[in-house]
Amino acid sequence: MGAIQSTSAIYLSISDGKICRRVSSPTSTSKERISEKSGKIYHEEFYRGWSGRIKSVTTRDSDYGKEWQVAIEDENGTAILSFKYSSGYASSFLKALPNVDLSKEVVFTPNVTTVNDKKRTTLFLNQEGLPVKWYYTKDNPNGCPSMEKIKVKGAEVWDDSKMMEFLEKQTAALFSKSDNDEPPF
């Protein structure tokens, strides 16, 4: 009788424009970080990107708020990439997702730039060496609501609530359909 090996997913996040993988002990490429909150020591490896086939996209509530979880499968197993629900990473990923061929490998490359002292984040997708274009754009929104300027405590802020709810619904429909169904877009 052969041994049954239990494999667990690799958990990834995005930190300052890089894919971050927390490891249990130091490695030759990991960096040590001490949590300001708990004082706990973490060892993290950073990558410019990650690749694999997208198996699922879901949301979950965490200690840090609602977040997206993308299951990415490659020849070594499954990685779960998490990022904030309402973020530039989420918006750019979800707006391109309908143009991804889910049967093929995708390269995820996060990026962060600073414009007028504000950080702007995005998640670039490439497939077969070509960038994946957004399905939902300003010129062709395909039903996606745009952000709205609202007042909160007297200050005007941009609200993406309707846009993110729409993108969540479209993403759920994309992954709930069977292979014979027409795309929901």
Side-chain angles (χ1 to χ4, degrees), residues 14-181:
I14 302 176
S15 177
D16 205 24
K18 299 238 188 290
I19 303 278
C20 176
R21 176 183 180 187
R22 190 174 293 167
V23 292
S24 56
S25 57
T27 68
S28 62
T29 58
S30 68
K31 295 183 180 184
E32 184 177 283
R33 178 178 62 85
I34 301 171
S35 169
E36 291 179 19
K37 261 186 168 180
S38 67
K40 188 174 179 179
I41 296 174
Y42 293 105
H43 303 281
E44 299 167 327
E45 296 175 339
F46 293 91
Y47 303 92
R48 185 70 203 110
W50 200 269
S51 64
R53 286 182 34 229
I54 299 172
K55 300 307 289 177
S56 68
V57 180
T58 57
T59 60
R60 79 173 189 115
D61 291 316
S62 76
D63 293 341
Y64 304 102
K66 193 171 183 177
E67 61 186 21
W68 290 97
Q69 293 201 309
V70 182
I72 307 165
E73 186 177 84
D74 65 15
E75 66 277 354
N76 298 316
T78 302
I80 308 296
L81 175 62
S82 299
F83 43 87
K84 289 182 183 178
Y85 181 82
S86 178
S87 66
Y89 297 126
S91 176
S92 57
F93 170 72
L94 296 169
K95 287 178 178 178
L97 187 59
N99 285 332
V100 170
D101 181 342
L102 296 175
S103 69
K104 297 179 182 174
E105 184 174 283
V106 178
V107 178
F108 297 78
T109 309
N111 188 48
V112 63
T113 55
T114 304
V115 178
N116 297 329
D117 294 329
K118 277 191 103 169
K119 284 188 177 186
R120 306 263 184 212
T121 59
T122 192
L123 184 56
F124 294 104
L125 302 179
N126 280 281
Q127 202 162 43
E128 298 183 318
L130 299 171
V132 177
K133 301 289 184 189
W134 285 7
Y135 179 81
Y136 304 106
T137 65
K138 187 175 185 176
D139 293 335
N140 191 7
N142 288 310
C144 184
S146 57
M147 291 177 47
E148 300 174 310
K149 215 175 219 186
I150 63 169
K151 272 195 172 181
V152 176
K153 297 182 181 179
E156 286 191 336
V157 295
W158 287 101
D159 179 38
D160 67 354
S161 299
K162 290 178 183 173
M163 179 182 77
M164 293 309 296
E165 288 169 10
F166 173 87
L167 293 171
E168 181 175 5
K169 181 179 175 187
Q170 296 303 310
T171 300
L174 178 65
F175 285 94
S176 69
K177 70 178 184 67
S178 72
D179 291 342
N180 297 327
D181 289 343

